[in-house]
Amino acid sequence: MMGTMEGSPRSGLSSPEAKLGMRVEDLWDIMEPQLSPTEKLNACFESIPVSAFPPAPSNQAIEIKSDASLGEAVQILAQHKILSAPVVDVDAPEDASWIDRYIGIVEFAGIVFWLLCQSEPPSPRSPSSATALAAATNGVNAEFEFLGPESAASTNGNFFEALTSSDFYKNTKVRDISGSFRWAPFLALQTSNSFLTMLLLLSKYKMKSVPVVDLGDGKIENIITQSAVIHMLAECAGLQWFESWGTKRLSELGLPVMTPNRLIKVHEDEPVLQAFKLMRKKRIGGIPVIEKGSSRAVGNISLRDVQFLLTAPEIYHDYRSITAKNFLTAVRSYLEKNHENCPLVTGMITCKRDHTMKELIQLLDSEKVHRIYVVDNDGNLEGVITLRDIISKLVHEPRGYFGDFFDGVLPLPQNSRV
């Protein structure tokens, strides 16, 4: 079942996000008249520190200890309905700086892909990290060593169900998979950094969330996500600065950015693991499932859905051969049975090119989804618009803006397999 575009009226401008929007409005009114709307917005957001952004919900302030097992980390993430959390080094001194206090951010997708990589057959040119790790954790069933992602289409069995009950899964610590973290420990903002910096990191630099640290106590003060920014924008409907931008049609703003022939997709009869492999390889957060023999989308599989491989392994007895279409059916059935609300249950959300940015933002916010698919009048897929695409249309990066900001940030290790 596909969602459709319906504007929803906003409540009064009384929320913390709306008050923040009013702050932007006040700055907007005093900007030089010769500036373009984009230049005005850039100047407004550069004048507001990230410390002004409303605090994240309490469940987003969850931290995971480095000596927690993968199983415990999965339970914490699932219990609090979050996809990732900062990892605290239990061996760090009480007065440690934030760089020494945290070792990274762990997420559902990172855990799953790390486990799959450890189960790949060893390279003839190098020792198997799976074998070494299995020995260190007192053993993982030998069958795991040869159930790598490359055999996704041909291997059957109850791999994830067996894996989540194995000593390997229970004994491996979160710190053991630190090589799967993108940043070491992670890229963070100080409370004095600007809104513009935060918005650019969440758009041009492809970060889905940005921790804000307090240098005084060396701890994370807030975590700002792409979704939180979209919610803030939705709360600003009616304000002049927002309406001057939000009332434009998607086609006027150059959305969707990607043409249909470049869209990454999976067909309904392909193995579901192929969808997750493509997301990992292309570093994207979701992928449409296309009806066999047509260009119509029948659903969407998101990177967040990878969590169900670990939290509901009993429904994947044949997960390596289950198709993308059957995956959608199985997970929807599981969620409905457990009365859980999830984008997979509500179906695929779509829009058309003549809808406005304001309508799009309100729908994404109300449905709590990270992407929306653009279709023509016949339902054929024409493109996708993500939260990142929207934020990138709000601001632009001035020349030389970041300077040495990224110095000292450690990228993904070259020998990392995730």
Side-chain angles (χ1 to χ4, degrees):
M1 177 179 176
M2 295 212 178
T4 56
M5 290 293 301
E6 291 184 6
S8 57
R10 308 305 299 179
S11 56
L13 298 176
S14 58
S15 68
E17 291 82 6
K19 291 177 181 177
L20 183 55
M22 287 297 297
R23 185 169 175 178
V24 178
E25 184 90 332
D26 292 340
L27 290 167
W28 175 275
D29 290 339
I30 62 174
M31 289 293 165
E32 296 293 335
Q34 68 268 24
L35 294 177
S36 68
T38 301
E39 291 172 330
K40 280 187 177 183
L41 280 178
N42 254 38
C44 290
F45 290 130
E46 178 63 15
S47 301
I48 301 176
V50 292
S51 58
F53 199 90
S58 58
N59 65 349
Q60 288 190 0
I62 299 300
E63 297 179 342
I64 294 177
K65 294 182 178 180
S66 60
D67 60 353
S69 70
L70 296 187
E72 290 170 337
V74 166
Q75 287 181 343
I76 292 171
L77 294 174
Q79 177 185 348
H80 295 280
K81 299 184 183 300
I82 54 178
L83 300 181
S84 62
V87 179
V88 180
D89 187 352
V90 295
D91 297 322
E94 186 63 30
D95 60 349
S97 68
W98 71 270
I99 292 179
D100 295 322
R101 183 183 302 277
Y102 300 97
I103 66 171
I105 293 179
V106 66
E107 54 186 8
F108 270 123
I111 293 174
V112 172
F113 292 143
W114 185 87
L115 289 169
L116 288 174
C117 284
Q118 302 313 306
S119 68
E120 289 177 352
S123 166
R125 298 183 180 180
S126 61
S128 167
S129 59
T131 302
L133 238 159
T137 57
N138 293 322
V140 56
N141 192 309
E143 66 178 299
F144 297 148
E145 294 182 18
F146 301 99
L147 294 179
E150 296 306 321
S151 57
S154 59
T155 305
N156 295 306
N158 58 348
F159 176 75
F160 272 101
E161 193 169 15
L163 178 60
T164 53
S165 62
S166 70
D167 288 339
F168 179 64
Y169 181 70
K170 294 175 182 177
N171 294 338
T172 301
K173 306 300 183 183
V174 172
R175 61 181 169 229
D176 296 332
I177 70 168
S178 59
S180 69
F181 303 152
R182 178 174 295 185
W183 305 107
F186 45 72
L187 191 60
L189 293 176
Q190 299 177 28
T191 53
S192 59
N193 286 124
S194 74
F195 253 58
L196 180 59
T197 300
M198 175 264 291
L199 293 172
L200 289 171
L201 290 177
L202 291 175
S203 55
K204 181 176 180 179
Y205 291 91
K206 302 181 180 181
M207 296 182 66
K208 295 187 181 299
S209 63
V210 181
V212 180
V213 298
D214 186 325
L215 295 184
D217 61 13
K219 296 182 180 179
I220 294 176
E221 185 172 281
N222 198 3
I223 297 179
I224 303 175
T225 64
Q226 291 177 338
S227 297
V229 171
I230 295 301
H231 178 62
M232 182 205 80
L233 293 174
E235 290 291 317
C236 293
L239 295 175
Q240 181 184 354
W241 69 267
F242 177 84
E243 296 294 330
S244 69
W245 173 73
T247 53
K248 293 182 179 179
R249 299 191 183 279
L250 301 179
S251 54
E252 293 180 71
L253 293 168
L255 293 174
V257 176
M258 188 174 293
T259 56
N261 62 325
R262 294 182 56 209
L263 193 64
I264 308 299
K265 51 188 176 288
V266 65
H267 289 90
E268 63 180 359
D269 58 347
E270 291 186 82
V272 68
L273 201 55
Q274 178 66 14
F276 292 121
K277 286 173 60 182
L278 280 172
M279 283 185 267
R280 171 194 170 199
K281 181 179 179 180
K282 301 294 183 180
R283 295 189 178 276
I284 55 177
I287 194 168
V289 179
I290 306 299
E291 184 179 57
K292 187 177 181 180
S294 78
S295 58
R296 292 172 57 89
V298 296
N300 170 74
I301 295 178
S302 167
L303 198 57
R304 73 171 75 179
D305 301 328
V306 78
Q307 66 180 290
F308 298 116
L309 295 176
L310 299 177
T311 59
E314 69 276 5
I315 67 174
Y316 301 108
H317 291 296
D318 300 316
Y319 87 96
R320 287 182 181 274
S321 60
I322 192 172
T323 64
K325 180 179 179 180
N326 289 338
F327 171 83
L328 291 173
T329 302
V331 175
R332 284 171 183 163
S333 175
Y334 167 81
L335 292 170
E336 291 169 354
K337 180 180 178 180
N338 289 277
H339 307 289
E340 293 186 34
N341 187 26
C342 177
L344 265 179
V345 176
T346 56
M348 189 171 177
I349 309 299
T350 64
C351 70
K352 295 182 179 178
R353 292 178 182 270
D354 61 352
H355 285 106
T356 66
M357 179 66 85
K358 177 180 177 179
E359 290 174 317
L360 191 69
I361 288 172
Q362 291 178 340
L363 184 60
L364 286 166
D365 182 50
S366 63
E367 296 290 342
K368 306 304 178 189
V369 293
H370 294 174
R371 63 194 45 76
I372 189 167
Y373 291 97
V374 183
V375 297
D376 62 18
N377 291 331
D378 296 321
N380 295 313
L381 198 60
E382 292 194 325
V384 62
I385 300 174
T386 66
L387 304 187
R388 173 179 171 250
D389 293 333
I390 293 173
I391 299 172
S392 69
K393 295 298 181 180
L394 185 65
V395 293
H396 70 274
E397 180 182 355
R399 181 183 296 273
Y401 178 77
F402 278 101
D404 60 359
F405 180 84
F406 295 104
D407 287 359
V409 175
L410 302 179
L412 191 70
Q414 290 185 355
N415 63 348
S416 172
R417 303 177 71 197
V418 177

